[in-house]
Amino acid sequence: MTTTLLRTADELHARVRRGSRAVVMTMGALHEGHATLIRAAREIAGPEGEVVVTVFVNPLQFGAGEDLDRYPRTLDADLKIAEEAGADAVFAPSVDEVYPGGDPQVRLSVGPMGERLEGAVRPGHFDGMLTVVAKLLHLTRPDAALFGQKDAQQLALIRRMVRDLNFGVEIVGVPTVREEDGLALSSRNRYLSPEERRTALALSQALFAGRDRHAAQEALRARAREVPATRARAEALSAIGESRAAADAHAVAKAVPGAPAAVRAAARLVLDEAARLQPPLVLDYLALVDPSDFTEIEDDFTGEAVLAVAARVGTTRLIDNLPLTFGAAS
């Protein structure tokens, strides 16, 4: 398969469409995470459909002092990765092509959901992101668009935009791809020195610690449901040295389901230790949120949640997250 490079919307619209079109939107500097998205898009489009990868470094997403000028631009390498992963075309427009009148006077506003977490740290970022995603959806006219779950808040906002504004497109989230040491794949990882990378591993390690704490609590709760809280049973357990286990199980059973506070505490312990490393990890936020609106969940929460973290190591800012499910109390 030869991947076609397209520079203008007219070139894209002149293509004869056969079957469905799946689009993967990127800012370039493609890596295995993007390749995973492209392969997933290929499966969705099928052999008769079309996969289009957009490569556009959107200036509206970068605030003052952020890395717009040094953001990597590697189009030749991007074309090779896109082709190997199964893309039919790469749409790499110029800034003038996307914003022909200069900075757009009309932009999308994310509202309260986009003003939390990433939106609070990077004011205006999500307005710029949604504006360019809306434009690229109109320009590429896909049946499905795929985005990585690593940018969980971005994915949630895009889904909300598509629903609220009646875009006729399916939004597909693809699980985060990680390197062997657990670090989530990111175009910004290349900025990290070996020492900074060791510190940066605390992001994923903190999430894994929270996940493991959550799993342990859920296992205790499941065990508690199998241990009757009777005096006779407690005496029998005590006789074989299991009284502590029984007490722990019943304590968890009586506690709030899932204990989100304990999950946060386990993750924060790892991040606090990383803050004392050289170079240190500088935390922007650690949050355990409801993905429907990205507000912090309460201790009686049940359902899907996202444990999210963002931090700086040196001059590089990284984000990561893990989905968790909090079961109903029994």
Side-chain angles (χ1 to χ4, degrees), residues 315-326:
T315 60
T316 303
R317 186 173 185 275
L318 301 170
I319 63 173
D320 202 351
N321 72 83
L322 277 179
L324 297 175
T325 301
F326 288 82

Side-chain angles (χ1 to χ4, degrees), residues 198-213:
R198 284 194 289 272
T199 296
L201 291 176
L203 274 79
S204 56
Q205 290 168 352
L207 297 178
F208 299 155
R211 177 197 62 191
D212 292 346
R213 177 62 174 165

Side-chain angles (χ1 to χ4, degrees), residues 16-307:
V16 177
R17 293 184 62 164
R18 297 183 179 88
S20 62
R21 174 179 287 174
V23 166
V24 175
M25 296 185 188
T26 82
M27 292 206 300
L30 302 190
H31 49 63
E32 180 57 28
H34 297 109
T36 299
L37 287 168
I38 297 167
R39 288 191 290 268
R42 181 79 271 162
E43 291 184 10
I44 289 173
E48 302 302 320
E50 182 180 49
V51 174
V52 176
V53 177
T54 69
V55 174
F56 180 64
V57 181
N58 178 33
L60 300 189
Q61 291 177 229
F62 292 79
E66 294 190 333
D67 57 354
L68 173 60
D69 291 338
R70 71 168 185 149
Y71 195 88
R73 291 157 172 86
T74 57
L75 185 57
D76 289 342
D78 294 344
L79 281 167
K80 183 178 180 180
I81 291 173
E83 184 168 280
E84 291 175 349
D88 297 287
V90 168
F91 178 47
S94 66
V95 173
D96 289 340
E97 179 72 17
V98 177
Y99 303 120
D103 284 354
Q105 298 299 301
V106 176
R107 308 186 189 194
L108 288 174
S109 176
V110 294
M113 181 176 171
E115 294 170 355
R116 303 174 181 124
L117 301 187
E118 284 296 292
V121 177
R122 306 176 65 190
H125 165 71
F126 283 133
D127 289 351
M129 179 276 294
L130 284 185
T131 298
V132 79
V133 168
K135 287 189 67 101
L136 289 172
L137 286 174
H138 289 313
L139 289 170
T140 59
R141 303 169 186 172
D143 299 286
L146 293 83
F147 298 88
Q149 292 179 356
K150 182 176 77 71
D151 297 295
Q153 192 172 8
Q154 169 181 283
L155 175 60
L157 285 164
I158 292 170
R159 282 177 165 154
R160 189 61 184 253
M161 175 187 73
V162 165
R163 184 177 67 195
D164 287 354
L165 301 184
N166 300 104
F167 281 68
V169 59
E170 178 187 5
I171 302 299
V172 179
V174 177
T176 300
V177 178
R178 299 185 178 278
E179 300 194 39
E180 289 186 4
D181 58 10
L183 189 67
L185 281 173
S186 169
S187 301
R188 291 185 169 93
N189 289 354
R190 67 186 67 192
Y191 300 155
L192 297 168
S193 69
E195 295 78 15
E196 289 171 341
R197 185 184 175 88
R198 284 194 289 272
T199 296
L201 291 176
L203 274 79
S204 56
Q205 290 168 352
L207 297 178
F208 299 155
R211 177 197 62 191
D212 292 346
R213 177 62 174 165
H214 172 66
Q217 289 177 308
E218 290 297 317
L220 278 174
R221 291 181 62 246
R223 181 177 181 182
R225 290 194 291 269
E226 301 172 358
V227 181
T230 64
R231 182 172 181 177
R233 177 60 172 162
E235 289 175 351
L237 286 168
S238 182
I240 58 173
E242 295 186 13
S243 56
R244 176 61 185 272
D248 285 349
H250 282 295
V252 173
K254 294 178 180 178
V256 293
V263 172
R264 293 186 185 96
R268 183 167 288 279
L269 183 62
V270 175
L271 298 170
D272 288 345
E273 291 175 354
R276 295 189 287 271
L277 297 176
Q278 289 299 326
L281 181 139
V282 181
L283 184 66
D284 277 347
Y285 61 77
L286 171 69
L288 185 54
V289 298
D290 182 339
S292 69
D293 59 9
F294 270 71
T295 58
E296 289 280 356
I297 64 173
E298 302 292 338
D299 278 343
D300 60 351
F301 179 86
T302 60
E304 299 296 320
V306 173
L307 181 62

